[in-house]
């Protein structure tokens, strides 16, 4: 792959710490960690497409020639996964419904989740990851994202940050507090009385049925 996923995960963790200490209270965003923290804090984070329940349910990409595919990555790189061409049909809905290539995207969750992801605590956030990254790396989309190790590190970091921020707000009567590492350590008098728990996330649909 060319990347050490553990080192990359450590980098995102360190970057998050720098952001929290120096920029988060000044309107600076560091994606996707900022949105992950919101997600784990149950504050409506907007995550990138790689962590959608199934991108085939939400969008398509059409290039200048009229070719339709799942996203810009597919439409620019993998013609065998084109859904069709809008200049060759008068019914886009029918084209999508009958496309064998699109059917593979719809079937991916049912193939990947029971095999690789069903026991993962972050399934409701990740959903098996990005199909195009998986296909590019392994030649099939019916496996989990090869960056799984990195995602797990990012999710764990974001969950930890969200937990500490939630606890800090609770101790301040629900008021927002400065997002700095200096505020994260509990005073000695609190360590025996406060149990650190992650915020309760809203239930999320995990699509595994075939359509």
């Amino acid at each position: 792959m060319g990347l050490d996923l553990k080192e990359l995960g450590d980098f995102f963790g360190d970057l998050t710490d720098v952001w929290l200490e120096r920029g988060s209270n000044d309107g600076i965003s560091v994606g996707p960690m900022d949105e992950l923290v919101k997600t784990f804090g149950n504050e409506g984070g907007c995550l990138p497409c790689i962590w959608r329940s199934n991108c085939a349910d939400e969008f398509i990409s059409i290039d200048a020639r009229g070719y339709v595919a799942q996203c810009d990555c597919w439409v620019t790189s993998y013609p065998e996964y084109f859904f069709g061409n809008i200049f060759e049909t008068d019914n886009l809905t029918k084209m999508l419904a009958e496309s064998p290539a699109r059917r593979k995207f719809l079937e991916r969750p049912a193939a990947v989740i029971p095999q690789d992801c069903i026991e993962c605590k972050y399934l409701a956030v990740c959903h098996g990851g990005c199909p195009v990254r998986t296909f590019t790396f392994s030649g099939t989309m019916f496996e989990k994202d090869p960056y799984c190790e990195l995602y797990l590190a990012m999710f764990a970091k974001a969950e930890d940050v969200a937990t500490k921020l939630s606890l800090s707000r609770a101790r301040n009567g629900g008021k927002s507090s400065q997002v700095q590492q200096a505020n994260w350590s509990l005073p000695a008098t609190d360590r025996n009385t406060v149990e650190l728990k992650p915020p309760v996330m809203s239930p999320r649909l995990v699509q595994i049925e075939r359509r």
Side-chain angles (χ1 to χ4, degrees):
M1 185 179 299
L3 292 173
D4 186 306
L5 297 184
K6 183 182 184 307
E7 290 185 359
L8 193 55
D10 291 342
F11 166 78
F12 271 100
D14 293 342
L15 179 63
T16 302
D17 290 339
V18 172
W19 167 64
L20 291 169
E21 182 179 352
R22 303 180 187 177
S24 62
N25 294 306
D26 295 323
I28 297 174
S29 299
V30 175
M33 296 305 298
D34 52 346
E35 296 299 329
L36 278 172
V37 170
K38 291 179 184 178
T39 297
F40 281 103
N42 203 22
E43 297 178 354
C46 181
L47 299 181
C49 62
I50 59 173
W51 296 322
R52 297 292 188 186
S53 59
N54 192 345
C55 54
D57 292 330
E58 300 190 41
F59 51 82
I60 57 174
S61 179
I62 305 174
D63 73 4
R65 302 164 297 172
Y67 288 110
V68 183
Q70 186 50 55
C71 70
D72 58 324
C73 297
W74 291 98
V75 82
T76 56
S77 302
Y78 299 108
E80 66 271 31
Y81 279 89
F82 287 170
F83 300 160
N85 191 297
I86 58 172
F87 297 129
E88 298 173 1
T89 181
D90 58 1
N91 192 325
L92 177 61
T93 299
K94 182 179 179 181
M95 182 184 73
L96 295 177
E98 296 178 351
S99 167
R102 185 168 181 268
R103 174 58 52 184
K104 293 182 179 180
F105 288 92
L106 294 173
E107 293 175 346
R108 182 174 185 263
V112 173
I113 290 175
Q115 172 182 308
D116 294 316
C117 309
I118 196 67
E119 299 296 331
C120 180
K121 66 179 290 188
Y122 298 118
L123 172 59
V125 179
C126 177
H127 304 96
C130 177
V132 74
R133 286 183 176 177
T134 305
F135 183 82
T136 301
F137 181 74
S138 61
T140 176
M141 70 173 74
F142 294 112
E143 295 178 2
K144 67 179 180 179
D145 193 310
Y147 285 85
C148 174
E149 180 183 350
L150 169 63
Y151 299 160
L152 291 176
M154 295 170 70
F155 297 156
K157 180 66 176 182
E159 183 179 29
D160 181 59
V161 170
T163 298
K164 290 170 179 175
L165 293 179
S166 179
L167 178 61
S168 178
R169 282 192 292 268
R171 291 170 56 201
N172 284 281
K175 297 179 181 179
S176 298
S177 59
Q178 292 293 305
V179 187
Q180 295 182 352
Q181 284 184 289
N183 295 331
W184 291 4
S185 58
L186 290 174
T189 55
D190 289 348
R191 289 175 185 161
N192 296 325
T193 59
V194 178
E195 183 179 1
L196 195 63
K197 293 183 178 180
V200 178
M201 295 177 61
S202 299
R204 292 170 179 267
L205 175 65
V206 177
Q207 176 194 319
I208 60 173
E209 75 277 8
R210 296 185 183 275
R211 298 189 175 187

